Amino acid sequence: MNQSALIRPDWTPATIAMMVLGFVIFWPLGLAMLAYILFGERLKSFKKDANNSVDGFCSSFRRKSQRYGRPSFGTGNVAFDDWRDAELARLDEERRKLDEMREQFDEYARELRRAKDQEDFDRFMRDRNSGGAGSVPGFPAN
């Protein structure tokens, strides 16, 4: 999330003030702000999951309508309807490719984070084993 935003799901002076003001004006507003502060980070994944569920549900209707012939919202102009169907199919294919590329990038980013974490851990273990616990900052010597 953008950490420079004034209102973000974190304990900032602005969110605390809005929560207190919400409790003073109408207690459900304060409660809603408190819930946003505590659980706001989960909203992003909730929104993504909800959008994917709705997209999957709606795409099943679209597939069924295309399976049984021309969709019921045709314009009456056969040439235009054919062009629109071809464009929609092309856009669906592009969307599928973009979704695949996004998943590949997410996997790549996860691997980079895992590799960095492994490198940090290996460096910690090397420092710990080579010079004793005293050489690692934050750990007392034995």
Side-chain angles (χ1 to χ4, degrees):
M1 275 215 149
N2 184 2
Q3 293 301 318
S4 65
L6 181 63
I7 300 173
R8 61 181 186 267
D10 198 6
W11 293 100
T12 63
T15 57
I16 294 171
M18 289 180 68
M19 180 184 63
V20 170
L21 188 63
F23 276 117
V24 169
I25 293 174
F26 185 58
W27 69 268
L29 292 176
L31 194 60
M33 192 63 201
L34 177 63
Y36 176 71
I37 292 170
L38 295 175
F39 304 110
E41 288 296 324
R42 297 180 188 169
L43 290 176
K44 190 192 297 185
S45 63
F46 173 76
K47 178 183 172 189
K48 180 182 175 194
D49 293 342
N51 283 341
N52 288 340
S53 297
V54 170
D55 287 346
F57 181 72
C58 291
S59 68
S60 67
F61 288 122
R62 185 173 50 231
R63 281 192 300 264
K64 287 178 185 176
S65 69
Q66 290 174 352
R67 191 177 333 155
Y68 297 120
R70 189 169 306 283
S72 61
F73 53 87
T75 62
N77 185 328
V78 176
F80 176 76
D81 289 343
D82 290 342
W83 173 82
R84 184 188 60 206
D85 291 343
E87 286 296 305
L88 289 174
R90 183 185 63 79
L91 290 173
D92 284 342
E93 180 64 22
E94 287 295 318
R95 168 60 72 186
R96 187 189 60 74
K97 287 178 184 177
L98 287 173
D99 287 343
E100 286 177 4
M101 287 192 305
R102 185 189 69 226
E103 288 298 322
Q104 290 171 354
F105 177 76
D106 289 345
E107 179 63 30
Y108 176 74
R110 275 193 297 275
E111 278 299 312
L112 281 179
R113 283 192 296 275
R114 191 201 61 71
K116 183 184 179 305
D117 290 346
Q118 185 67 44
E119 179 184 322
D120 291 344
F121 177 74
D122 291 342
R123 186 177 336 117
F124 166 76
M125 291 304 287
R126 263 194 322 272
D127 291 347
R128 181 173 173 240
N129 292 334
S130 67
S135 68
V136 177
F139 285 97
N142 288 335

